[in-house]
């Protein structure tokens, strides 16, 4: 590592193996982004992101890309939470996730939480490009600070496009230096864990799930396309996960 920070990338491509399963012709990672194929229960492929180094630290630039081709099914998780830490330079770190799912492909993107440690500064972007007929389950969770500490600066942007049309594009900035009000009643209301669950299903075009509140701190809303969004805040990561998992099980009982 130099004072300029680490540059690292990882890439996975999933395609049908011709025998009813899913092959991974590309499974490459470097530096802190190691990819490991693990045992899958069904015909899909399962990959874990294993952090080989701490980070991202200030000044680091990470890129993680996944492509699912027609007829393939891919489940991506992570072995542990990602912790954004302060670096030697005080520069912003970046973590960019790029997802591409073809017509008839299916991607479950279910990493562990991203934790913003005190003194860190991270800008993370997740961009999902889906063809018509693609399926996606995407979970994103952020925790502001470890136990007993203040959060770092965290800016997160999530974009989902289906057949060239943007159905979701949202950005949230939290922590020191973020626009005022991020911790107020209109945004996090004092909570320290925030998460989203995006589901894209072709059948939602004809029968979208109905908008509804999920208790006091979460809501399900249909998007302008065959997709739905669950947004939630919670006092801690455990309660956030329980809430998102319960809604995922209701909407996708056989998918995980």
């Amino acid at each position: 590592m130099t004072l300029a920070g680490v540059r690292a990338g990882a890439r996975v491509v999933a395609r049908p193996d011709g025998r009813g399963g899913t092959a991974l012709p590309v499974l490459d990672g470097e530096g802190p982004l190691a990819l490991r194929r693990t045992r899958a229960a069904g015909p899909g492929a399962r990959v874990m992101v294993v952090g080989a180094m701490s980070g991202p630290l200030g000044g680091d630039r990470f890129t993680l890309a996944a492509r699912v081709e027609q007829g393939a099914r891919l489940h991506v998780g992570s072995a542990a939470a990602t912790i954004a830490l302060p670096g030697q330079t005080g520069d912003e770190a970046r973590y960019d996730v790029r997802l591409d799912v073809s017509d008839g492909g299916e991607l479950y993107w279910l990493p562990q939480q991203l934790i913003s440690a005190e003194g860190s500064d991270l800008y993370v972007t997740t961009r999902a490009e889906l063809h018509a007929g693609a399926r996606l389950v995407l979970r994103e969770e952020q925790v502001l600070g470890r136990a007993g500490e203040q959060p770092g600066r965290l800016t997160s942007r999530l974009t989902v496009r289906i057949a060239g049309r943007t159905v979701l594009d949202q950005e949230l900035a939290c922590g020191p230096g973020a626009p005022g009000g991020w911790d107020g009643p209109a945004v996090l209301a004092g909570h320290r864990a925030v998460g989203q669950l995006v589901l894209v299903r072709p059948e939602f075009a004809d029968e979208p799930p109905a908008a509804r509140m999920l208790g006091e701190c979460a809501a399900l809303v249909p998007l302008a396309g065959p997709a739905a969004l669950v947004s939630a805040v919670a006092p801690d990561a455990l309660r956030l996960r329980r809430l998102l998992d319960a809604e995922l099980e209701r909407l996708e009982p056989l998918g995980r």
Side-chain angles (χ1 to χ4, degrees), residues 151-226:
R153 170 72 181 267
L154 175 63
T155 304
S156 174
R157 183 169 184 176
L158 173 60
T159 305
V160 178
R161 289 167 50 85
I162 303 174
R165 180 185 179 190
T166 301
V167 300
L168 177 66
D169 192 356
Q170 66 179 23
E171 184 172 284
L172 176 65
C174 305
W182 65 270
D183 201 23
V187 188
L188 297 187
H191 292 89
R192 284 294 178 265
V194 57
Q196 288 76 232
L197 181 66
V198 179
L199 293 100
V200 178
R201 288 288 176 261
E203 55 267 26
F204 285 173
D206 297 321
E207 297 183 13
R212 66 188 185 96
M213 293 298 298
L214 308 173
E216 296 183 359
C217 299
L220 166 67
V221 294
L223 299 176

Side-chain angles (χ1 to χ4, degrees), residues 31-50:
L33 298 176
L35 302 181
R36 300 288 184 266
R37 182 166 189 170
T38 61
R39 185 182 299 274
R46 184 178 293 264
V47 172
M48 298 295 289
V49 182
V50 180

Side-chain angles (χ1 to χ4, degrees), residues 46-166:
R46 184 178 293 264
V47 172
M48 298 295 289
V49 182
V50 180
M53 298 168 55
S54 61
L57 308 178
D60 289 352
R61 300 290 186 272
F62 293 175
T63 302
L64 181 55
R67 187 174 84 245
V68 181
E69 298 183 359
Q70 186 173 11
R73 185 182 186 194
L74 176 64
H75 184 296
V76 179
S78 57
T82 297
I83 304 178
L85 297 166
Q88 299 182 39
T89 66
D91 294 336
E92 176 189 76
R94 287 193 64 105
Y95 199 145
D96 297 314
V97 175
R98 298 293 179 261
L99 310 175
D100 189 327
V101 188
S102 297
D103 182 12
E106 188 160 0
L107 173 61
Y108 288 78
W109 190 263
L110 300 171
Q112 298 295 328
Q113 299 93 348
L114 169 63
I115 300 173
S116 175
E118 187 171 7
S120 65
D121 186 356
L122 176 64
Y123 184 59
V124 56
T125 67
T126 302
R127 185 180 182 91
E129 292 277 356
L130 286 83
H131 298 239
R135 295 172 176 265
L136 173 70
V137 175
L138 182 152
R139 184 183 66 212
E140 181 180 83
E141 299 168 305
Q142 285 124 22
V143 180
L144 304 181
R146 295 169 292 191
E149 73 174 8
Q150 294 299 308
R153 170 72 181 267
L154 175 63
T155 304
S156 174
R157 183 169 184 176
L158 173 60
T159 305
V160 178
R161 289 167 50 85
I162 303 174
R165 180 185 179 190
T166 301

